[in-house]
Amino acid sequence: QVQLVESGGGLVQAGGSLRLSCTASGRFFSSFNMGWFRRPPGKERAFVSAISGNGDKVYYADSVKGRFIISRDNAKNTMYLQINSLKPEDAAVYYCAADRVMFRAGIRTVENEYAYWGQGTQVTVSS
């Protein structure tokens, strides 16, 4: 079982930056590919970014490429999402998630491939 806790959300002006963290419990954090998803107000949850277990592969949704940076520190059981050049459309509840399969070779972008979820952290963007 993997338990995830997000932090770092808040109110930021458009154009600003924010770093989200996702801390995992358990000893096998590095065995899981990890992902970030977000749910904007009134919309469905959508894929944002993902990273392989050892951090050598990353993947981004087109809408965040060049602005968001995903990373992880396996020694700290923590994944990060650096959000730069915030836009009003980035406002959402951000969720971190762990792949349902350990040591999976490929990164997944679909929700149902992730079995473990955090409670979410709110990012609000003021214009």
Side-chain angles (χ1 to χ4, degrees):
Q1 189 77 4
V2 178
Q3 293 183 320
L4 304 172
V5 178
E6 302 97 336
S7 60
L11 172 64
V12 184
Q13 276 194 324
S17 298
L18 205 60
R19 189 176 81 157
L20 307 182
S21 299
C22 171
T23 301
S25 64
R27 296 181 296 157
F28 302 107
F29 179 68
S30 63
S31 305
F32 292 94
N33 296 341
M34 299 289 296
W36 286 99
F37 291 75
R38 66 185 180 186
R39 188 196 303 273
K43 297 185 179 180
E44 296 198 347
R45 191 159 56 184
F47 172 79
V48 174
S49 184
I51 187 168
S52 59
N54 64 3
D56 65 339
K57 301 186 191 70
V58 297
Y59 192 80
Y60 297 95
D62 287 343
S63 58
V64 307
K65 274 181 188 172
R67 298 188 300 120
F68 289 21
I69 302 172
I70 190 171
S71 62
R72 65 191 297 164
D73 184 342
N74 287 341
K76 295 182 179 178
N77 273 19
T78 301
M79 175 179 65
Y80 304 98
L81 186 68
Q82 177 69 38
I83 303 176
N84 300 318
S85 303
L86 270 159
K87 302 178 180 180
E89 53 263 41
D90 294 323
V93 178
Y94 283 73
Y95 300 88
C96 67
D99 199 316
R100 65 174 59 255
V101 175
M102 294 174 70
F103 304 112
R104 197 198 298 258
I107 289 179
R108 297 296 192 265
T109 63
V110 179
E111 269 195 54
N112 62 12
E113 297 286 5
Y114 291 81
Y116 309 99
W117 292 84
Q119 82 289 348
T121 186
Q122 177 75 51
V123 172
T124 304
V125 182
S126 63
S127 53

